[in-house]
């Protein structure tokens, strides 16, 4: 599901926004970095988290999230300098297990692991 262009974007620095919403309609948006993302063989997106308490609260009620990410360093459509993606999926937070421990070794600051199961990934630019 994730394209070669998506993987190329994750190899360059840029901001990743994570948007969630609980039972009410008020969204919560938090950010991380492209360089913090790890993609599993089955194309789940993993991100080390320190904080994100409002997003964690939302995900406990509604596990749907939207991520946006991009990079000016990757050519987009029609020779446009830069491209980005809109990713929709289901999220969960963990604080144990093999993937958590592997990420914690790389990112000692984290206290939770955000895991997003991708349902769609659309290139925007």
């Amino acid at each position: 599901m994730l394209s070669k262009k998506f993987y190329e974007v994750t190899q360059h620095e840029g901001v990743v926004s994570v948007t969630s919403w609980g039972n009410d309609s008020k969204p919560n948006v938090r950010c991380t970095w492209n360089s913090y993302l790890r993609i599993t063989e089955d194309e789940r997106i993993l991100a080390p988290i320190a904080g994100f308490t409002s997003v964690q609260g939302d995900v406990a009620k509604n596990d749907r999230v939207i991520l946006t990410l991009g990079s000016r360093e990757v050519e987009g459509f029609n020779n446009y300098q830069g491209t980005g993606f809109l990713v929709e999926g289901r999220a969960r937070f963990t604080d144990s297990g093999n993937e958590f421990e592997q990420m914690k070794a790389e990112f000692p600051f984290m206290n939770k692991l955000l895991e997003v199961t991708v349902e769609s990934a659309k290139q925007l630019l």
Side-chain angles (χ1 to χ4, degrees):
M1 178 181 302
L2 298 176
S3 69
K4 181 179 176 183
K5 188 72 68 172
F6 178 89
Y7 283 96
E8 191 177 346
V9 165
T10 64
Q11 300 306 306
H12 297 274
E13 196 60 273
V15 174
V16 179
S17 70
V18 178
T19 303
S20 64
W21 54 98
N23 291 333
D24 57 16
S25 61
K26 181 183 173 205
N28 285 296
V29 181
R30 298 297 178 266
C31 295
T32 189
W33 300 103
N34 288 357
S35 60
Y36 287 180
L37 301 182
R38 298 296 177 266
I39 313 301
T40 65
E41 284 187 27
D42 61 352
E43 295 189 326
R44 288 173 295 121
I45 298 171
L46 305 179
I49 300 301
F52 273 55
T53 54
S54 58
V55 174
Q56 289 180 56
D58 285 348
V59 167
K61 299 172 192 166
N62 172 16
D63 66 353
R64 297 190 61 72
V65 294
I66 294 173
L67 281 66
T68 57
L69 65 147
S71 173
R72 284 186 58 99
E73 307 304 315
V74 179
E75 185 176 297
F77 297 130
N78 301 316
N79 299 317
Y80 187 81
Q81 186 55 47
T83 194
F85 284 83
L86 172 70
V87 176
E88 295 184 57
R90 304 272 180 184
R92 75 181 190 121
F93 287 89
T94 61
D95 60 4
S96 63
N98 288 340
E99 290 176 331
F100 176 85
E101 295 303 328
Q102 290 170 356
M103 293 286 284
K104 181 81 171 168
E106 189 174 355
F107 304 101
F109 63 84
M110 68 181 267
N111 56 26
K112 296 282 186 195
L113 176 64
L114 170 62
E115 172 191 316
V116 176
T117 301
V118 177
E119 295 180 335
S120 69
K122 179 180 177 184
Q123 187 175 346
L124 300 175
L125 299 171

